Amino acid sequence: METRQELTAPTTDVSTFKRVLVGVDDSPEALEAARQGATLAEGPITLVSAYDLTAGLVGGTGPSVPAYLDEERVREEAEAVIDRAREEIGDKPVVVGRVDRGRPWELLLAEIARWDDTLVAVGSHGHRRALGILIGSTATELIHKAPCSVLVARTGLGRFPQRVVVGLDGSRESLLAYETAKSLAKRFDVELDAVVAHVNGEVDVDAIERGVGESVRRIVDEPVSALVSLSADADLVVVGSRGLRGVKALGSVSERVAHQAASSVLIVRRRP
């Protein structure tokens, strides 16, 4: 059985950014997701705009057809969203746009299953960067259910990425996140801040440093608090999909960081 001291950073046969899927709507955060997804992409990009006619079904009477029931109009609006996202991406090659009816996360999950996407990107929805942004239902569903890595995009500090923070806890998932973050830092020639946050000596930091082959920053704090704090001065926080404490860690670390961070958050997940 593998021990934590014997762990080494895993390698991947397929890049996290090989095949990128982006869910877009008419929000600024979704257009930011398209821009960031295109920046990170190393292969084809697919834009998906979903419309759900039942979402606004809250009553009303009279002979006129409510706007939310006028499928042709709603579909045209969804197609316009794809066009705006294409403009945001610019001249990035191999961009496919798809408009379909249904719940956004269901369509995105179906696309991932069909085309074996390696990254799905969506925008967060909320208010002020300084306070963090509570992510919407689509992002939450994807964090729980997507079999690939998930990018929750927020408005950055300018050129993206400029500063990358990665959280380590000694699990293979966090080491995979570290390798992904390290490759991004090298590819874009930006600063990488590798962090181990823990309390009560519950993480063997020396073993982690042996595993990654270099020193990491040690912070005495809960992982979520530390990463959220660091996100204020970064534009991308990278975490693994689960940690040493298994499935519960997804809710307590990755998901909570994605909800609370001021920056974009990339949850790295190895495809099964």
Side-chain angles (χ1 to χ4, degrees):
M1 183 176 178
E2 217 170 32
T3 66
R4 286 168 57 189
Q5 283 76 10
E6 294 168 340
L7 286 174
T8 57
T11 57
T12 55
D13 296 325
V14 178
S15 167
T16 301
F17 314 108
K18 186 68 175 177
R19 193 178 190 97
V20 176
L21 175 68
V22 184
V24 294
D25 56 26
D26 60 356
S27 69
E29 293 83 8
L31 294 179
E32 183 67 18
R35 185 178 74 86
Q36 292 184 12
T39 298
L40 299 179
E42 296 176 341
I45 305 164
T46 300
L47 304 172
V48 171
S49 181
Y51 62 95
D52 184 359
L53 296 181
T54 65
L57 209 56
V58 293
T61 59
S64 299
V65 178
Y68 53 77
L69 292 182
D70 185 347
E71 181 165 2
E72 182 177 356
R73 175 180 169 181
V74 175
R75 185 177 181 88
E76 288 175 353
E77 292 173 351
E79 290 171 348
V81 166
I82 293 287
D83 292 337
R84 288 198 295 273
R86 281 198 174 104
E87 292 175 2
E88 191 72 24
I89 288 174
D91 59 356
K92 190 75 177 183
V94 196
V95 177
V96 176
R98 180 187 168 192
V99 174
D100 208 344
R101 178 176 174 177
R103 294 181 178 179
W105 61 85
E106 293 176 346
L107 292 178
L108 291 169
L109 290 172
E111 284 287 305
I112 295 167
R114 181 180 181 186
W115 298 106
D116 209 27
D117 295 295
T118 56
L119 175 68
V120 58
V122 290
S124 62
H125 293 80
H127 306 289
R128 294 167 54 190
R129 175 183 171 83
L131 298 177
I133 302 173
L134 292 178
I135 58 179
S137 57
T138 297
T140 300
E141 292 286 338
L142 292 173
I143 289 171
H144 283 283
K145 298 176 181 178
C148 63
S149 298
V150 178
L151 174 67
V152 179
R154 294 182 171 92
T155 302
L157 301 172
R159 179 178 61 86
F160 175 88
Q162 293 186 62
R163 181 168 178 263
V164 179
V165 174
V166 59
L168 284 155
D169 66 4
S171 65
R172 291 192 66 83
E173 289 79 11
S174 78
L175 292 171
L176 178 61
Y178 169 80
E179 285 298 302
T180 301
K182 184 178 179 181
S183 69
L184 279 177
K186 180 179 180 181
R187 177 178 160 196
F188 292 99
D189 191 24
V190 298
E191 176 186 356
L192 175 64
D193 190 3
V195 174
V196 178
H198 66 103
V199 293
N200 302 323
E202 60 189 9
V203 175
D204 189 341
V205 184
D206 292 334
I208 292 173
E209 291 184 333
R210 288 194 295 271
V212 301
E214 58 184 291
S215 297
V216 299
R217 179 142 63 119
R218 307 179 185 212
I219 299 178
V220 181
D221 194 1
E222 292 291 344
V224 174
S225 297
L227 292 173
V228 170
S229 178
L230 291 170
S231 73
D233 296 317
D235 52 11
L236 182 63
V237 172
V238 183
V239 292
S241 60
R242 50 184 293 192
L244 292 175
R245 284 169 282 184
V247 174
K248 289 184 178 180
L250 175 61
S252 64
V253 179
S254 301
E255 184 180 358
R256 287 171 59 196
V257 171
H259 272 275
Q260 299 175 30
S263 67
S264 296
V265 176
L266 172 63
I267 300 174
V268 178
R269 180 174 290 133
R270 186 194 301 273
R271 284 299 309 252

